[in-house]
Amino acid sequence: MFRSTLACLLLGFYYITFSQQVGHEARGVGFWDNKTCNGSNGDEGICMSNLQCGMVKGKRVGNCGLFGACCQVQRSCNQETDQKVTFFNSPSTFTESDCNLKIKLQNRRIGQIRVDFLKMVLRQPSNKTSSFTCIDDTFTVTPSVGLPALCGVNDGQHIYINVNASKPGYNSAELKFHIAKRSNNSEQASWSLKITQLEVPPRNVQSPAFDADWDINSIFSDFSLNPTGGITTKRGQNKQRLRFILRVSDYDKVAPPGCLQYYTAKSGMYKSFNLNNNNGPHLANLNYAICFKKVDGVCAIKHTPVFFQLSGNSNNMKATDRDCDTQNGNNLLTEDYLFVPDGITSENVKACKFCYNALGSNNSVTARSRGPQFVTFMSDDKIGDDETLKELGFSMNYEFIDDSC
């Protein structure tokens, strides 16, 4: 009994010591491989030793193999994490207005951080500044992802943050909440964020494990999909040579450059921030891309509205293109629209910009492209005068459809 216990302790000590010596670079060498797991109650965690789980102040939610623990790491206000997956939860009571979480990169291969808003309920945006902006409660990110402060109801949303261990200003990240004071009977702010650090393949495919001189843009310039669906590089290596790189990376989860949101399923749903049960309003000063993982051999994606209500500059309910922007330089006009490249509606209307009620429940839009599939959402800093042109937002189903390229 003593010998077996001692052996387990020595093995665990070896694993942790080796991981620390290489700066957390030992993924694939240890027994649990930093993989995700589900606990007994369905709680998500990361496989690690019981000793490691205790060292990172995690919570054991289940087992991994014979000796490992499914460990869930939870953090709250003004703490930090360097773990693969962390859950950032709001406190039961707020003792101060600012609640931040600092994210340190787990290793030098981390190139992106995905933040899933499992729950986020903050105060609604205000129109005190002639547009809907977040004033009382705010959520911001550093390094910047190109968004203004978020607020309102954003359950089910997500964002990607680009990071780089060798680039100052991008070698860590911070999530920042500022919460306005409440009266005793007012609704309290609450959130639960899932933070996942994503590894990307290095540029140097000959010695990938410890190369820090790369960023997300170089990854997609070096690697591409060949016509047969395999992966090749511009340096001539074939799929067999890349097997190790893909094993130590989250290649299939990494968002392409310029994408704030990235959907990897063949079909699903996306929506505007603070859709709030179709009551909105959407936020001002947005300009971001929503991207979709390409399906091999499929070039068409169909976007079908569940709800769609934006402002517009025309009495035409099917407002598109010039009806959606500040045509002729008239700065008094609104400019809120969903941009679908080379879209063709089910009513056979060709357009790229869609606003007002252009995409009703019976009017879908399909885009065909051999290249990347994406849409962008643009909103200005104005509120339309017409009450019928409420700036509420959108919810869209998407589906890749079989169509020849």
Side-chain angles (χ1 to χ4, degrees):
M1 179 66 180
F2 174 76
R3 289 182 177 180
S4 60
T5 302
L6 179 61
C8 288
L9 289 174
L10 289 174
L11 287 172
F13 176 76
Y14 167 79
Y15 177 77
I16 294 171
T17 302
F18 183 80
S19 298
Q20 292 174 339
Q21 287 176 346
V22 297
H24 300 286
E25 301 282 355
R27 183 177 175 183
V29 179
F31 303 114
W32 294 280
D33 204 28
N34 210 19
K35 293 180 179 178
T36 58
C37 55
N38 291 315
S40 55
N41 294 325
D43 295 330
E44 185 177 345
I46 293 293
C47 290
M48 60 180 70
S49 69
N50 284 286
L51 182 57
Q52 281 180 304
C53 189
M55 290 177 64
V56 300
K57 299 179 181 179
K59 174 185 177 183
R60 182 188 176 113
V61 295
N63 300 321
C64 272
L66 294 176
F67 304 108
C70 185
C71 184
Q72 185 178 91
V73 177
Q74 300 182 6
R75 296 290 186 265
S76 192
C77 295
N78 305 319
Q79 297 179 345
E80 62 182 37
T81 181
D82 63 353
Q83 296 302 300
K84 175 72 175 178
V85 177
T86 302
F87 291 85
F88 179 26
N89 301 318
S90 56
S92 55
T93 57
F94 289 89
T95 57
E96 52 188 286
S97 59
D98 293 323
C99 181
N100 305 331
L101 177 71
K102 184 173 183 179
I103 305 169
K104 295 182 176 181
L105 305 190
Q106 187 183 49
N107 60 57
R108 289 173 291 175
R109 293 192 300 269
I110 302 299
Q112 283 185 344
I113 298 171
R114 174 171 168 139
V115 182
D116 286 279
F117 303 165
L118 306 180
K119 178 182 181 181
M120 181 186 284
V121 180
L122 306 179
R123 277 188 177 171
Q124 286 294 309
S126 168
N127 61 354
K128 294 178 182 179
T129 59
S130 77
S131 61
F132 290 111
T133 56
C134 300
I135 296 178
D136 294 330
D137 294 350
T138 62
F139 170 75
T140 56
V141 174
T142 55
S144 173
V145 294
L147 281 179
L150 297 181
C151 59
V153 179
N154 288 296
D155 298 0
Q157 296 280 11
H158 72 274
I159 60 173
Y160 280 80
I161 308 169
N162 289 330
V163 291
N164 188 328
S166 61
K167 187 175 181 180
Y170 291 84
N171 52 11
S172 65
E174 191 166 12
L175 309 182
K176 304 177 181 180
F177 284 92
H178 178 80
I179 307 302
K181 292 183 178 180
R182 260 75 162 169
S183 59
N184 293 332
N185 59 352
S186 62
E187 182 181 9
Q188 298 298 311
S190 62
W191 65 84
S192 178
L193 309 184
K194 176 187 172 184
I195 300 150
T196 307
Q197 300 196 31
L198 299 176
E199 297 182 357
V200 297
R203 289 194 313 202
N204 186 349
V205 297
Q206 297 295 335
S207 56
F210 302 102
D211 184 2
D213 297 324
W214 46 260
D215 57 29
I216 188 60
N217 292 288
S218 68
I219 301 309
F220 282 86
S221 64
D222 285 350
F223 292 84
S224 62
L225 292 176
N226 62 40
T228 62
I231 298 175
T232 60
T233 75
K234 294 180 180 179
R235 303 179 187 180
Q237 285 80 6
N238 56 28
K239 184 170 62 176
Q240 184 72 20
R241 294 281 298 278
L242 293 173
R243 182 174 298 171
F244 174 75
I245 293 176
L246 299 182
R247 182 173 65 86
V248 297
S249 73
D250 298 297
Y251 186 84
D252 59 330
K253 303 173 185 175
V254 173
C259 300
L260 179 73
Q261 298 185 311
Y262 185 48
Y263 293 87
T264 59
K266 185 177 180 180
S267 61
M269 186 191 74
Y270 61 95
K271 60 185 177 179
S272 54
F273 289 105
N274 192 42
L275 186 58
N276 190 24
N277 294 319
N278 301 341
N279 293 313
H282 68 69
L283 300 175
N285 299 312
L286 297 177
N287 187 355
Y288 65 94
I290 304 168
C291 304
F292 309 91
K293 184 178 180 180
K294 288 279 289 185
V295 176
D296 291 344
V298 178
C299 291
I301 182 171
K302 182 179 180 181
H303 304 269
T304 303
V306 178
F307 177 82
F308 193 90
Q309 176 63 69
L310 305 177
S311 63
N313 299 312
S314 170
N315 292 326
N316 179 12
M317 293 287 287
K318 303 296 184 181
T320 60
D321 290 345
R322 296 280 74 180
D323 296 326
C324 301
D325 59 27
T326 52
Q327 54 186 325
N328 301 321
N330 186 344
N331 293 327
L332 298 179
L333 300 178
T334 62
E335 193 169 14
D336 302 333
Y337 55 82
L338 183 68
F339 180 85
V340 182
D342 295 324
I344 302 178
T345 71
S346 54
E347 297 176 344
N348 204 31
V349 174
K350 294 183 178 181
C352 293
K353 298 177 181 178
F354 299 87
C355 59
Y356 203 178
N357 287 318
L359 295 176
S361 58
N362 297 319
N363 192 22
S364 61
V365 57
T366 299
R368 290 175 173 83
S369 173
R370 291 179 179 271
Q373 288 286 4
F374 67 95
V375 301
T376 61
F377 179 57
M378 167 77 180
S379 65
D380 59 17
D381 58 355
K382 302 177 182 65
I383 299 176
D385 294 330
D386 192 336
E387 183 66 18
T388 64
L389 302 177
K390 291 182 177 180
E391 302 184 350
L392 302 183
F394 59 86
S395 174
M396 306 285 290
N397 288 327
Y398 75 91
E399 179 184 12
F400 281 91
I401 56 177
D402 293 333
D403 189 24
S404 61
C405 296

